[in-house]
Structures are given as C-alpha cells and as structure tokens.
Amino acid sequence: MEVILSICLGIGLSAATGFRIFIPALLANIAAMNGFIHPGDNFEWLASWPAFWILATASVFEIAAYYIPVVDNFLDTIATPVALIAGALLTTSFMDVSNPALQWGLGIIIGGGTAGVVQTGTNLLRLTSTGTTGGIANPIVSTIENISSFVITIMSIFIPVIALIIVGLVVWFIFRKLKQLNKAMASQPENVERNI
C-alpha cells in the first residue's frame, strides 16, 4: 500500500511540476518538514530549511516572471526540460521502492513523463493564447497554471491523509456494528429463556 501511495504522490507532484516547477517542490518541502510526507533515503535534504528558502525564492521569481510579457514564452521554452528533470526528481524522492535502479527508472519514466506531458499542454495553451490574443490573455493562463499547480500538489500530499481518515472511519463503523451485534446476541438468550 505504501508503494502505491508513494507512486500516486509522485505522479501528482510531477503533474503539478508541469504547471510550475518550484511550487510543488516548495509545498512538498513544507509538508515534509511538518511530517505529512517523508522523502526517501538520500533525499532528506528536501525537508530542510535551506531547501525551503531556495524553493520559496525560486517560486516567487517563477510566479512573477510568468506575468511579464515575452518572458512568459521564453520561460516555457526552458521550462520543458527543467520540468522533466524536476518531475523525475520529485517522483523519485518520494517513491517508496527499495531497489534504487527501479526507483530512479520509475521516477524518470513516470515523473518525467507526466511532467513533460503537462508542460507540453501548458506550452500549447500559452502559444494559442499568445497567437489569438496577442498575449493579453497570458496573465489569465498564468493564474490558472499557478492555481492548478498549487491545488494538484495539495491534493497529492493530502490524499494519503484523507485515505487514512476514511480507513479510520470504516474501522470505527465496523467496530460499532460488531459491538451492536454482540449486544444483540447477548440479549438473545434472555429472550429465548423468556419464551420457554
């Protein structure tokens, strides 16, 4: 189950990386520093204060730069290979696989592939926006991308927590039903004795 949840987390983070490179890494850093998620071996640096300050600074600059005309299209050009690398790195860092070759292989294929597909879609969206509106609608596209990156990252981080809550509620419900069944069975002999 841990492997499946870690792969889901990695896919979600890499998809969010396709929208913005640094926001998912920053939110993953904050979540890891607060114990919501745990990076794998050799990736503990992702849950550190130096990583937080670097990623926070990079996120602010990335978000701001996408609102500057012409710069946004230039960023899309260099963001594609960087998104592939960042998606692969994030997926690999949270994937709970004991074999390093398999961990990196899956991280590169799943994480890099997912980030690449999403990044390609955002590139096409921005090119269409630039071509049809002369770039006037690009800030709207940037805002949608920022929100998408943030929301997908938050969902990816907290889906395991939500799953745990649902499992907890199911276990509570089962225990409650078992307790009611036990009470019903305990009272049944009294009813049988009364009828005799």
Side-chain angles (χ1 to χ4, degrees):
M1 189 66 173
E2 287 290 323
V3 174
I4 293 169
L5 289 175
S6 68
I7 290 172
C8 291
L9 171 63
I11 290 170
L13 291 176
S14 62
T17 301
F19 288 107
R20 286 292 173 269
I21 294 167
F22 296 109
I23 291 174
L26 174 63
L27 294 176
N29 163 269
I30 293 167
M33 286 175 44
N34 287 290
F36 290 109
I37 55 177
H38 305 284
D41 295 337
N42 302 319
F43 293 99
E44 295 87 1
W45 58 267
L46 192 55
S48 68
W49 280 106
F52 169 80
W53 291 113
I54 291 167
L55 293 169
T57 303
S59 295
V60 169
F61 280 112
E62 181 182 31
I63 290 168
Y66 269 101
Y67 287 102
I68 301 170
V70 181
V71 174
D72 58 350
N73 288 318
F74 172 73
L75 282 178
D76 272 346
T77 306
I78 60 172
T80 301
V82 177
L84 292 169
I85 295 166
L89 180 64
L90 272 177
T91 300
T92 303
S93 65
F94 288 102
M95 194 172 295
D96 189 18
V97 177
S98 58
N99 183 330
L102 181 61
Q103 181 183 18
W104 276 101
L106 288 172
I108 291 168
I109 293 167
I110 295 172
T114 303
V117 168
V118 173
Q119 179 63 38
T120 301
T122 62
N123 287 350
L124 293 174
L125 180 61
R126 190 172 310 285
L127 285 173
T128 302
S129 171
T130 301
T132 57
T133 68
I136 294 171
N138 285 10
I140 296 169
V141 172
S142 294
T143 302
I144 292 169
E145 291 171 348
N146 292 335
I147 293 169
S148 299
S149 182
F150 184 83
V151 169
I152 291 171
T153 302
I154 295 298
M155 287 175 55
S156 300
I157 291 168
F158 289 106
I159 282 177
V161 173
I162 292 169
L164 180 63
I165 291 169
I166 290 170
V167 169
L169 290 173
V170 168
V171 169
W172 174 78
F173 179 77
I174 291 170
F175 274 109
R176 192 172 144 221
K177 288 297 178 187
L178 286 173
K179 192 174 180 180
Q180 288 174 352
L181 181 63
N182 191 24
K183 281 183 181 179
M185 290 179 69
S187 66
Q188 216 170 22
E190 292 174 11
N191 292 338
V192 172
E193 288 174 11
R194 285 179 191 163
N195 291 335
I196 295 176

